[in-house]
């Protein structure tokens, strides 16, 4: 008589033997019969002539981009895109990454994530006709229109803030694609991403890309001129980081002699602290790509102090003192920022047929021609003759002002305490942005919009 425990044990043993036989069909391991363990001779083994096809598991990609977006983690989204683990046009579930990001209403960093996806080449056509998920539910009888018709759900583009709408429309503009194609196959290709950091200045970027696309053996010298608060310093700051090359920034107001420029330390708060002078920096990176920013170049105490730049800008080499060897600086990209042409830019703007619209290519070329003589008067014709191009930065269009104001509002609500600054409805955001335009001061640029948004936000909350 077999007890219940013995029967259960027998069943377990039988199952083990059956699983062993099944496992033997899947590999070439020679196994021993457990009942005859003392015997060295195997009871069964597969004939060596029988070949079995290996069993492969189906590999599925890790949904890293989906997790990064859903986690509202901007740094992780950037890491995934830059590492190549996922592409900006990869599907994340039933839709593309861009569609998922713009329809995920819970994301606090939607602006930044969408801009990252666009900067890495996300296809905006996936948003055509896309409806907002918050309005995709069935309408109640009280919401129905006369005649029993259900109101149509708004397109997702209509529910986005002005800044996100601006960058999406900018990405799909033919002018954007044409300008980016100029440097598509060059070392400077990463600079195309700067248009998702910088609002406006499309014509300046287009002209910059034209200059960078031209083969030249001379150093590249670019002067960014125009009114304050219009993106000159932002472009200069992002230039080196986008190209992944080192940057040294010189505050030109501190120079007191001709050779002071080579003894200048980097003064930018956005760069790593360094004990290297400009001379040390150029010596360390001689013959390599690097960026030197000459901030507020027109405010140098004496125009003669700029004479040290004549040889490096023309010949691509320089010496930092008498009897010292020459250093190869032919690969250096020199960027000068200046407020030269401040009044000219606004006078030119008022003479345009549509001052509030974006500037055309022809209008921008005309402004460049008018600006160059003013730069020559301030910096000297000898220095200007060695400058590759002078780029005027122009006033913002109405759409660009809206985008800047929306960016300002977004950054202020992110940094504020959630208990003090609750999530603002889309209608409130739109109204705050539009009202802030009355506080725009052309001579102050984006800074005036940030100030106006801050004041309006305080009034709204308190």
């Amino acid at each position: 008589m077999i007890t219940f425990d013995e029967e259960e044990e027998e069943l377990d043993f039988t199952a083990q033997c059956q699983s062993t036989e099944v496992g033997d069909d899947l590999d070439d391991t020679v196994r021993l019969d457990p009942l005859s363990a003392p015997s060295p001779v195997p009871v069964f083994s597969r004939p060596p002539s029988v070949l079995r096809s290996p069993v492969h598991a189906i590999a599925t990609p890790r949904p890293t981009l989906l997790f990064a977006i859903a986690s509202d983690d901007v740094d992780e989204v950037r890491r995934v895109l830059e590492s190549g683990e996922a592409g900006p046009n990869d599907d994340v579930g039933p839709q593309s990454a861009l569609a998922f990001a713009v329809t995920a209403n819970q994301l606090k960093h939607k602006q930044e994530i969408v801009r990252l996806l666009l900067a890495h080449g996300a296809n905006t056509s996936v948003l055509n006709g896309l409806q907002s998920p918050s309005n995709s539910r069935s309408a109640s009888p009280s919401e129905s229109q006369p005649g029993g018709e259900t109101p149509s759900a708004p397109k997702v583009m209509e529910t986005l803030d002005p800044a996100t709408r601006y960058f999406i429309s900018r990405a799909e503009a033919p002018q954007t694609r044409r300008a980016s194609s100029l440097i598509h196959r060059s070392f400077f290709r990463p600079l195309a991403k700067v248009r998702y950091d910088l609002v406006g200045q499309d014509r300046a970027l287009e002209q910059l890309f034209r200059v960078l696309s031209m083969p030249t053996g001379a150093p590249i010298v670019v002067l960014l001129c125009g009114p304050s608060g219009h993106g000159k310093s932002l472009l200069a700051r992002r230039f080196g980081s986008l190209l992944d090359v080192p940057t040294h920034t010189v505050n030109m107001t501190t120079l007191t002699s001709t050779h002071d420029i080579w003894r200048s330390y980097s003064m930018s708060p956005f760069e790593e602290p360094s004990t290297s002078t400009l001379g040390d920096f150029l010596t360390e990176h001689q013959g390599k790509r690097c960026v030197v920013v000459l901030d507020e170049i027109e405010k140098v105490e004496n125009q003669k102090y700029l004479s040290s730049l004549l040889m490096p800008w023309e010949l691509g080499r320089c010496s930092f003192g008498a009897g010292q060897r020459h250093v190869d600086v032919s690969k250096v990209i020199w960027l000068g920022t200046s407020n030269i042409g401040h009044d000219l830019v606004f006078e030119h703007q008022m003479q345009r047929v549509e001052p509030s619209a974006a500037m055309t290519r022809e209008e921008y070329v005309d402004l460049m021609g008018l600006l160059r003589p003013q730069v020559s008067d301030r910096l000297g014709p000898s220095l200007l003759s060695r400058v590759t191009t002078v780029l005027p930065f122009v006033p913002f269009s109405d759409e660009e002002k809206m985008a800047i104001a929306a960016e300002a509002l977004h950054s202020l609500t992110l940094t504020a305490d959630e208990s003090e600054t609750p999530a603002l409805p889309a209608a409130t955001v739109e109204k705050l942005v539009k009202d802030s335009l009355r506080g725009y001061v052309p001579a102050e640029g984006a800074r005036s919009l940030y100030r106006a948004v801050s004041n309006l936000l305080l009034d709204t909350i308190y």
Side-chain angles (χ1 to χ4, degrees):
M1 177 178 177
I2 300 176
T3 63
F4 179 79
D5 291 339
E6 291 173 336
E7 183 179 4
E8 185 177 49
E9 182 177 346
E10 182 180 1
L11 290 172
D12 288 343
F13 179 76
T14 303
Q16 290 174 11
C17 291
Q18 290 174 346
S19 64
T20 301
E21 293 174 3
V22 172
D24 284 338
D25 289 336
L26 299 180
D27 62 41
D28 294 321
T29 305
V30 176
R31 302 184 185 277
L32 299 180
D33 187 345
L35 296 178
S36 57
S39 173
V41 181
V43 174
F44 56 86
S45 64
R46 180 176 298 114
S49 60
V50 178
L51 299 178
R52 300 279 181 170
S53 299
V55 178
H56 297 285
I58 299 176
T60 56
R62 294 170 57 199
T64 50
L65 187 56
L66 170 63
F67 289 157
I69 296 174
S71 300
D72 204 14
D73 191 335
V74 180
D75 290 336
E76 181 63 11
V77 173
R78 181 182 291 106
R79 187 198 67 77
V80 170
L81 291 172
E82 291 181 352
S83 67
E85 291 182 26
N89 295 306
D90 289 356
D91 289 339
V92 289
Q95 54 191 342
S96 72
L98 182 60
F100 175 71
V102 298
T103 55
N105 295 328
Q106 77 280 6
L107 297 180
K108 291 183 179 179
H109 298 89
K110 180 186 293 188
Q111 249 189 49
E112 296 93 328
I113 291 174
V114 169
R115 283 159 57 181
L116 269 175
L117 292 169
L118 293 173
H120 284 81
N123 183 6
T124 59
S125 65
V126 299
L127 304 181
N128 295 339
L130 188 64
Q131 294 181 342
S132 174
S134 60
N135 294 281
S136 58
R137 62 177 177 81
S138 300
S140 63
S142 61
E143 296 174 321
S144 299
Q145 296 176 347
E149 296 181 3
T150 301
S152 58
K155 302 288 176 50
V156 70
M157 288 290 290
E158 299 171 4
T159 65
L160 298 175
D161 66 271
T164 306
R165 286 202 305 266
Y166 167 79
F167 284 112
I168 291 175
S169 63
R170 194 184 199 188
E172 62 188 10
Q175 175 191 329
T176 299
R177 293 193 293 270
R178 285 196 303 268
S180 299
S181 66
L182 294 169
I183 56 173
H184 181 70
R185 297 185 181 279
S186 76
F187 168 80
F188 300 102
R189 178 178 179 179
L191 286 178
K193 297 177 183 177
V194 78
R195 66 175 71 254
Y196 302 104
D197 293 320
L198 180 68
V199 175
Q201 311 309 333
D202 285 329
R203 295 304 173 188
L205 291 178
E206 180 183 0
Q207 182 62 26
L208 175 63
F209 295 169
R210 286 174 181 268
V211 169
L212 296 177
S213 68
M214 295 187 298
T216 176
I220 298 172
V221 184
V222 179
L223 296 185
L224 313 176
C225 300
S228 178
H230 285 75
K232 300 185 301 295
S233 296
L234 176 58
L235 175 58
R237 184 171 75 244
R238 292 289 288 139
F239 207 98
S241 60
L242 285 172
L243 294 177
D244 196 24
V245 297
T247 301
H248 190 99
T249 301
V250 179
N251 183 349
M252 299 297 284
T253 64
T254 63
L255 304 189
T256 58
S257 71
T258 304
H259 293 285
D260 262 5
I261 188 169
W262 310 124
R263 297 191 286 262
S264 299
Y265 296 96
S266 189
M267 305 292 287
S268 174
F270 302 100
E271 299 166 13
E272 291 292 331
S274 173
T275 57
S276 299
T277 64
L278 177 58
D280 296 333
F281 176 82
L282 294 175
T283 301
E284 179 184 356
H285 302 288
Q286 63 174 317
K288 302 176 183 176
R289 281 293 183 199
C290 58
V291 175
V292 174
V293 178
L294 306 176
D295 195 29
E296 298 185 302
I297 189 172
E298 87 284 8
K299 295 179 182 177
V300 64
E301 183 180 325
N302 191 323
Q303 192 181 101
K304 293 181 180 179
Y305 299 164
L306 300 176
S307 61
S308 295
L309 297 170
L310 296 178
M311 180 183 289
W313 284 9
E314 181 172 11
L315 303 178
R317 63 178 185 271
C318 63
S319 176
F320 307 128
Q324 295 186 13
R325 69 182 181 86
H326 285 85
V327 175
D328 179 7
V329 295
S330 59
K331 297 292 185 180
V332 176
I333 302 165
W334 303 82
L335 299 177
T337 65
S338 168
N339 294 131
I340 298 175
H342 174 282
D343 295 334
L344 171 66
V345 166
F346 289 116
E347 291 171 5
H348 182 270
Q349 179 78 355
M350 296 306 298
Q351 294 171 3
R352 295 176 56 220
V353 177
E354 296 184 54
S356 61
M359 188 174 289
T360 65
R361 167 74 182 163
E362 291 73 19
E363 290 172 328
Y364 189 77
V365 171
D366 178 61
L367 178 58
M368 289 175 61
L370 296 172
L371 177 61
R372 200 167 179 96
Q374 290 198 5
V375 177
S376 179
D377 291 340
R378 293 291 296 274
L379 303 183
S382 181
L383 189 75
L384 182 61
S385 65
R386 292 161 169 83
V387 172
T388 310
T389 188
V390 177
L391 301 179
F393 275 52
V394 300
F396 300 115
S397 68
D398 289 346
E399 183 187 19
E400 291 162 356
K401 295 174 193 173
M402 291 274 290
I404 293 170
E407 277 191 322
L409 180 59
H410 176 68
S411 64
L412 288 170
T413 52
L414 275 182
T415 55
D417 190 335
E418 290 187 9
S419 61
E420 298 179 359
T421 310
L424 300 175
T428 303
V429 170
E430 198 79 17
K431 184 177 187 306
L432 281 172
V433 167
K434 288 181 178 178
D435 290 347
S436 69
L437 300 191
R438 293 196 295 267
Y440 174 66
V441 180
E444 298 179 17
R447 296 185 183 95
S448 64
L449 287 172
Y450 270 76
R451 183 175 61 248
V453 168
S454 179
N455 293 334
L456 288 171
L457 183 60
L458 288 174
D459 294 341
T460 301
I461 297 171
Y462 303 106

